[in-house]
Amino acid sequence: MAMPVRLDIRHLQMLKVLKASSSMKEAAIKLNITPSALSHRLREAERRLSTTLLYRDQSRITLTLAAQRLISAADTILAELENAEKEAELGYRGFDQVVKIGSRANMARGWLPRLLIEFMADNPKTTIEIVTAAAADPLEWLHGEGINLAIVSGKKPSGDVIAKHLFSDELVAVLPKGHPQTKREVVSAEDFYDDTYITYGIEIEPGHEYDLLFKESAPLPRKMINVGSLDFILEFVKLGYGVSFLMKSAVLDAVRRGDVDIRPLQAGGGVSIDCWAVYSKVVPDTAATARLAAMLERSSFALS
């Protein structure tokens, strides 16, 4: 059973102000209370926690390690509360439901915004929020209830979730202009053993590049670098530093601009990655999320 929270928001605000003040008098002025009221509030917090938060010194404010740890948490808690209040006041005004979406950054380009606009037009009482912080691991955010819908790729997610298949996207080799392999119509992963492989993550995920290209059929390139994002991958490739293997839909804009070239990968007729819209079976009030997932599943995507 979780322990009850013993401090109030006003205690956290007090600690943040104390950290930024040179004296109790200055802190009291910032909080718009009397020094006596500030001392009372501080003693109340210490009593609730059974610990000391401030070393008593007439000349300066010296916070204990316990207070510093609370301030670290307060920075996150108060910032999130402020954002939530703004969303409640402004962002969700006139809406009955919000669907929070997390998607890998390299997946959503070129198709998701258009479909979300269409969904909101058909569901005027529902709004959409893209949670960019969830891009690194949308499924983890979904299980933690930080988002309602995860857009992911790879093998079909299992467990207490419903996964709607969206499309299968071709995996292609992404090459700098003038790379020797651009002279060929079709390439294979082993053709790039001597190239630098530029990727956005070195973790091994089922149904992704390592699983499809290197696990059994080809050795990994001798050198790999992780640059963390699709934009950086494309820039490194454009500058001729190396090659990558990405979903075709994610790189078409760069190809059209003439920044990079792509070639299909030969592995039994090509290599593709499945993409999914995933939401929880167990979280209540998923009607809007289910409608959006079904709409995405029905839609056809122009990936060429």
Side-chain angles (χ1 to χ4, degrees), residues 48-300:
R48 291 187 182 188
L49 295 173
S50 300
T51 192
T52 301
L53 298 174
L54 184 71
Y55 295 117
R56 269 57 179 179
D57 187 325
Q58 295 296 325
S59 60
R60 60 178 181 172
I61 290 177
T62 305
L63 297 167
T64 66
L65 289 176
Q68 293 174 37
R69 175 64 185 91
L70 287 167
I71 291 168
S72 177
D75 289 336
T76 301
I77 293 167
L78 294 175
E80 180 62 22
L81 180 60
E82 182 180 355
N83 288 336
E85 288 178 344
K86 288 179 180 177
E87 290 172 359
E89 179 185 7
L90 301 174
Y92 302 148
R93 184 178 294 167
F95 298 107
D96 294 333
Q97 291 182 296
V98 58
V99 180
K100 296 186 177 184
I101 302 171
S103 170
R104 285 286 175 89
N106 64 318
M107 289 188 57
R109 293 189 176 196
W111 61 270
L112 186 58
R114 172 175 56 84
L115 293 175
L116 294 181
I117 291 171
E118 181 181 331
F119 175 79
M120 287 186 287
D122 293 338
N123 297 267
K125 287 294 185 179
T126 300
T127 188
I128 298 296
E129 181 179 340
I130 305 294
V131 182
T132 56
D137 195 340
L139 287 178
E140 181 178 340
W141 276 69
L142 179 67
H143 293 309
E145 300 184 22
I147 59 174
N148 308 106
L149 186 70
I151 308 294
V152 299
S153 59
K155 289 191 174 180
K156 183 178 182 179
S158 58
D160 291 331
V161 297
I162 296 172
K164 300 286 189 180
H165 186 260
L166 300 181
F167 55 88
S168 295
D169 199 356
E170 183 184 1
L171 190 64
V172 295
V174 185
L175 314 174
K177 306 291 285 188
H179 189 283
Q181 296 297 338
T182 59
K183 297 176 182 178
R184 302 174 58 188
E185 292 296 321
V186 179
V187 296
S188 59
E190 54 261 35
D191 295 329
F192 302 99
Y193 177 71
D194 291 322
D195 287 273
T196 298
Y197 174 26
I198 305 166
T199 181
Y200 54 81
I202 58 175
E203 68 276 8
I204 297 172
E205 298 178 275
H208 285 81
E209 297 90 327
Y210 177 85
D211 202 23
L212 297 171
L213 298 177
F214 304 112
K215 189 174 182 180
E216 296 177 357
S217 59
L220 278 167
R222 289 194 294 182
K223 184 177 180 181
M224 295 175 58
I225 62 169
N226 173 18
V227 297
S229 76
L230 176 64
D231 288 337
F232 276 121
I233 289 175
L234 294 174
E235 190 66 20
F236 271 84
V237 174
K238 176 183 175 181
L239 294 172
Y241 188 77
V243 303
S244 193
F245 305 98
L246 297 168
M247 290 189 292
K248 186 177 180 179
S249 63
V251 299
L252 283 179
D253 285 345
V255 173
R256 291 171 182 139
R257 290 194 304 266
D259 293 343
V260 298
D261 273 329
I262 58 174
R263 289 295 181 271
L265 289 155
Q266 186 175 19
V271 183
S272 63
I273 295 180
D274 291 317
C275 300
W276 309 87
V278 188
Y279 60 98
S280 174
K281 287 181 181 178
V282 297
V283 175
D285 300 325
T286 59
T289 304
R291 287 199 304 273
L292 176 56
M295 181 262 196
L296 295 178
E297 183 184 33
R298 290 193 304 269
S299 301
S300 59

